[in-house]
Each structure stands twice: as structure tokens, then as C-alpha cells.
Amino acid sequence: MLTITSDQEPLQYPLLNKNSLKANHLSQYVRMTEYPVKVLQIGEGNFLRGFFDWMMGQLHMRGLYEGSIAVTQPRPTGAAKLQELQRQDGLYHAIIRGIQQGERIEEAELIAGFSMFIDPYQEWDTFLGLSASPELDIIVSNTTEAGLAYQFSSWNPDKPIRSYPGKLTLFLYHRYVAFSAHPDSGLMIMPCELVERNGDRLQEIVLQHAEDWNLPEPFKRWVMEHNLFLNSLVDRIVTGFPQAEAESLNKQLGVQDKLLTAAEPYYLWAIEGDPALDGRLPLKQAGLNVHWVADLRPFQLRKVRILNGAHTLLAAIGLLHGFREVREVVQHAELGARVRQAVMEEIVPVLPLDTDELKRYAEEVIERFLNPFIQHQLTDIAMNSLSKFKVRLIPTLISYRERFGVLPPILTEALASLIRLYNVHEEDGRYIGRRLDGMDLVVRDDAAHLRRLQQLWEQVEQGERKLSELVDQVLGDRELWDSDLNEMDGLGDAIMAHLLTMERR
Ligand SMILES: NC(=O)c1ccc[n+]([C@@H]2O[C@H](COP(=O)([O-])OP(=O)(O)OC[C@H]3O[C@@H](n4cnc5c(N)ncnc54)[C@H](O)[C@@H]3O)[C@@H](O)[C@H]2O)c1
Ligand SMILES: O=P(O)(O)OC[C@@H](O)[C@@H](O)[C@H](O)[C@H](O)CO
């Protein structure tokens, strides 16, 4: 582990790879490459590198795991990142920085866990071949919510299958055949996608593909009985490559690392499963903040409603006011106070969990948002805000109204801000919204939703529709919210009032 210090002498910057490693790191790297591949990782993205692979680094450092990782990208566009990883022999630095319980943490940890790089679109046979390895034990993935989805694919086993669950189904089928359905050949499958009950969902899709492809019933039974699809919840803010500071970090590290991965010190992984599974992947034994739990729901609810809810809320309000990063919004006297009010007075009180524990978590979340070293872009968080708002904030809005008989003021303002943010027009295939000061900003969301909102706003601006009608239409759009929000007394009027105030500004 290196500690980032201030000014060191400028060094030459060879590319980070095994040839540029110092002796102590080289021996660590060589030891790792001698381990058999025990983990197949589907996903070359930032999150896994700053979370799971970092954890594997901790296991390796403590001598608790004698297995390496084969990494593969879930879609063709990931090939460039995979090649970059390969050029660096799978080595990179996790830059872990922030303030935790008042203590400043600033570390650059060299991560060395990958021993194999497989592009399934070019090396399909190698990919499938790995399924026959007796040492392989775990599959981990993060392919975003869009990746963990059913996508029909016709039976064509000789060609790379596009979707992740499709690939996984064929991979498991090859394994089932290679080990003649032996019960011990089952794998532990750990999806990290932020999808509720991600393990159950993945298993469901795998079985659907098995059905589509007429795979034998005993295979389906083997999938269900001898493979573990674990539901889990991940929590760590990983912002990826720290563009603004890359040069100075490389200078301090003395190498050129194109895969620097920035993350906060906080992390939590709650996995629904028997604590005995820690024997298979000794995360708890390594002292990591990992919990094998019987019921994941409280963790999921707490994190999605508080952390992700606050993110979605502050992204909508912050972007409209011309801010770029999470920290800027939370630090702002007026907007920051509103974010705190939303979390402490609107979100926390309606969660059916221990209030003291929730408040502790909420305080921690605010501290994490204030991390001075992390540049967390509001535009990244705001991507697909409509569906995020539906899952992360609407349930709170409804519970609050039911419990207190009035609307939560900040959440209502956030919903109005979101509607205002989506006053978009199309330009070269992109949707451009307007901040309150009239400046443009790109809005990224489902194109059909964006088109509908664009049309409504255009009709208002051309005087063909009243603003109140737009509000009525948007709140009543079941495709957006899965329900009619106009049924919530007073919501339409409150949103109207906010929109008019914004326009007056
Ligand atoms: N970055 C974080 O702080 C953080 C924290 C917790 C959870 N997450 C989850 O991670 C996801 C983003 O990952 P990231 O930060 O590593 O971003 P990233 O862009 O670095 O990686 C995204 C990964 O998902 C794959 N992917 C994207 N769309 C896909 C699709 N349609 N089908 C298959 N694969 C697809 C990409 O190829 C890549 O491997 C989010 O959806 C979020 O749910 C991120
Ligand atoms: O990753 P998304 O786009 O689903 O949501 C944006 C953020 O809320 C999210 O990435 C959090 O930072 C993360 O969930 C923290 O664990």
C-alpha cells in the first residue's frame, strides 16, 4: 500500500505493467499469476475495479485466497478497456480518498488480481472453455441494470451471445455437460447490479433462456439446486478515472496508470446467504465490511431510499441551479440545507427501520457526499433520472403523504425540478435541457420518455397547452410512474407552484 504524499521528485513514467513493478510488488504479482483462476468476472467497469477487485486485493494481501480472476467484458464496446487492462497486465491503482469519522484517508493501492483477459466476442471458445475448469468457483458481475435483463436470443451456441444472462446460461450448460451434472460443480454467482433481488432475477432469466433453448430438465434442476445465485447489495461511490488529477497521481506513483480508479473509503457489501459461505470467499474473515445476512431487504431499503434517493433528488435540483458536483450542492448553504432536510425529515421518518440506526447511516451519507477528494458528477447520477425517481423517491413521497397527511416539501420540489429539467429539445440525437439561468445541459434518459416530455413542453411554450395540463399529463403518465400520481391530493398544485416560482426566477 502506498500513501500519497505531496510533492515528490518528478520521475519517469513508464506504463504500469509487470515490467515497471518494484521488487516487492513484482513478487506479489507473480504469486497471484500462479494461482488458478477461481473467479470469472463479467464486467471491466469502474465499479468492480473499485469494489470487488479491491476486496480481492485485500484477501490476497492477507494471504486468504489462492485464486486469481479471469475478466471479460459484457458487451463489444468494453473491448478497449479490456485491452487497456491487458496492456497493464491487469495492474492498476485504487485511489481511496475521503474523510471517515473525521479522519483523512488518502491511499493508492496497487491491485493485482487478473490473470486472464477474455474478449468473448473474439474468443468465444476460450470463454466457454473456462466453464470446464475444476478450480472455477465464483462468477461476479456488474453490467448495470440494463445488462441484467432478459433479451431473447435464438439458439446459436457457436456464436457469442450478446446478453450477459444469455452468455451465462450457455456457460453453465457447458459446465453441466463437462462435469456430467456433478452436484459439486455448481458455482457461486454474485451479481452486483443494483437490481432488487439481483440473484433471483439472474437465475430467473437463466432459466428462461434454458426454456427458450429447450435445454434438458436435469440441467435446469442442476442450475437451481447446485448453483447459488446470491442476492446482494453493494455500496461504495466509485467515480473511476480521476481525470483532473491523473497527471499528479502518476507523477507521485512514478508510473503511467491509465486505469487509476478513484473511490471513497466507505464500502459495504450485504449478501443474502449462509455465513458459512465466507469459507468459500473469506471476505468477513479478512475483516471487510461485508455482511452475510438472512434478509437483505433492510439494507436495500436503507441504501436505495437514503443514499440513492438523496443523489437523485440533489442531482435534479443541483443541475437546474447550475451545479456540477454532488459536494458543491451539499456544501451550498441553501441547497445543502434542503438536501439535509429531505434526508432527515422526509426520507428517514417514513422508513420502517430503526430510526437511530437510519440517522447514523444518513449522517454518514452526508459525510460521504462532502468527500473533498471525489468529483462525483451530477450528470452521471442524473442519467435515467425518471426511472430512478420512481424507485428511489416516489415510495417516500407516498409514505410521507399517508403518514403525515401533507406532502413532503423538498421531495415535491425535487419532482418539480425533474419535470422542469426535462423541458428538452432534440439536437443531433441528444436531448438538451435548460438550467434556471437559461444555459443548456444534456439530459440522458429513455428516448421515448424524453420525446413525450419534449412534446408537452413545446405545446406549453407555443400556447397550445396550459402548464397545469402538462403537470396533469406528466403526473398521470403510468409509463413513467407505474401509477397515477394525480391521485395524490394536492400534488399537481404543489408542482405547479414550484414550476411558476422557477419561471419567475
Ligand atoms: N460507480 C458507483 O459508484 C456505483 C456504486 C454502486 C453501484 N454501481 C452500479 O454500477 C453501474 C455502473 O457501473 P460503473 O460505475 O462501473 O460504470 P462503467 O461504465 O465503468 O461500467 C459499466 C459496465 O457495465 C457494462 N454495461 C453497460 N451497459 C450494458 C448493457 N446494456 N449490457 C451489458 N453490459 C453493460 C459495461 O460494459 C461495463 O462493464 C451502475 O448501474 C450502478 O448500478 C455503481
Ligand atoms: O449508479 P446509478 O447511476 O444507479 O446511481 C447513481 C448513484 O446514486 C450511485 O452510483 C451511488 O453512488 C452508488 O449506488 C453508491 O453505492
Side-chain angles (χ1 to χ4, degrees), residues 50-316:
F51 186 79
F52 178 79
D53 302 321
W54 171 85
M55 286 189 186
M56 293 300 286
Q58 306 299 308
L59 299 195
H60 284 147
M61 204 159 60
R62 292 166 175 75
L64 286 170
Y65 196 73
E66 299 196 343
S68 64
I69 307 169
V71 58
T72 170
Q73 94 272 20
R75 51 179 189 169
T77 46
K81 189 64 78 185
L82 197 79
Q83 284 158 14
E84 223 164 48
L85 256 177
Q86 196 159 10
R87 272 197 294 276
Q88 293 194 182
D89 296 316
L91 298 161
Y92 67 94
H93 290 90
I95 308 293
I96 310 291
R97 294 188 298 176
I99 313 282
Q100 212 173 24
Q101 285 143 17
E103 192 196 338
R104 182 180 168 126
I105 295 174
E106 241 186 313
E107 286 163 358
E109 292 183 39
L110 182 75
I111 309 293
F114 301 118
S115 62
M116 226 179 146
F117 310 83
I118 311 173
D119 178 341
Y121 302 92
Q122 303 297 327
E123 301 161 299
W124 187 227
D125 291 343
T126 311
F127 175 75
L128 290 179
L130 187 62
S131 68
S133 157
E135 280 96 4
L136 187 74
D137 188 41
I138 290 170
I139 298 190
V140 67
S141 67
N142 185 35
T143 61
T144 78
E145 291 90 324
L148 208 168
Y150 172 68
Q151 220 181 321
F152 175 80
S153 165
S154 41
W155 175 247
N156 193 354
D158 300 331
K159 289 247 169 73
I161 298 168
R162 221 183 151 78
S163 81
Y164 158 48
K167 281 191 201 74
L168 177 64
T169 310
L170 198 66
F171 188 90
L172 290 176
Y173 184 59
H174 272 244
R175 188 166 178 87
Y176 161 84
V177 173
F179 292 96
S180 312
H182 198 288
D184 293 347
S185 60
L187 299 173
M188 182 154 101
I189 300 166
M190 310 179 82
C192 295
E193 288 81 356
L194 273 188
V195 169
E196 215 175 317
R197 306 207 65 75
N198 42 18
D200 293 349
R201 179 73 191 123
L202 184 57
Q203 187 187 53
E204 223 171 79
I205 308 175
V206 164
L207 292 172
Q208 180 62 55
H209 283 298
E211 187 74 26
D212 295 347
W213 298 336
N214 276 322
L215 296 178
E217 284 306 314
F219 166 65
K220 293 184 204 159
R221 275 203 300 280
W222 175 83
V223 166
M224 287 188 284
E225 290 167 12
H226 304 299
N227 290 271
L228 283 171
F229 288 79
L230 298 176
N231 296 306
S232 75
L233 172 92
V234 295
D235 190 359
R236 177 173 240 181
I237 296 171
V238 180
T239 49
F241 190 72
Q243 191 70 49
E245 303 150 288
E247 207 177 310
S248 86
L249 284 167
N250 280 331
K251 178 174 159 187
Q252 291 179 44
L253 294 165
V255 286
Q256 193 189 5
D257 181 353
K258 296 184 173 180
L259 289 157
L260 290 168
T261 305
E264 61 172 344
Y266 180 93
Y267 65 92
L268 174 141
W269 197 3
I271 313 170
E272 206 174 83
D274 188 336
L277 291 172
D278 207 64
R280 223 160 143 176
L281 187 63
L283 300 163
K284 192 86 201 156
Q285 218 188 113
L288 297 173
N289 191 23
V290 173
H291 304 263
W292 298 94
V293 298
D295 180 11
L296 194 63
R297 205 177 135 71
F299 288 90
Q300 182 102 28
L301 205 58
R302 184 183 78 163
K303 191 233 169 180
V304 172
R305 296 277 188 94
I306 297 179
L307 187 150
N308 298 110
H311 258 166
T312 302
L313 168 142
L314 69 85

Side-chain angles (χ1 to χ4, degrees), residues 379-390:
T379 45
D380 288 344
I381 292 168
M383 185 167 142
N384 298 332
S385 270
L386 290 166
S387 56
K388 287 178 185 169
F389 207 100
K390 177 178 74 181

Side-chain angles (χ1 to χ4, degrees), residues 421-426 431-433 443 450 453-454 457-458:
L421 191 65
Y422 279 58
N423 179 354
V424 287
H425 64 274
E426 203 181 337
Y431 287 85
I432 311 293
V443 177
L450 284 164
L453 279 145
Q454 173 183 8
W457 275 109
E458 273 171 10

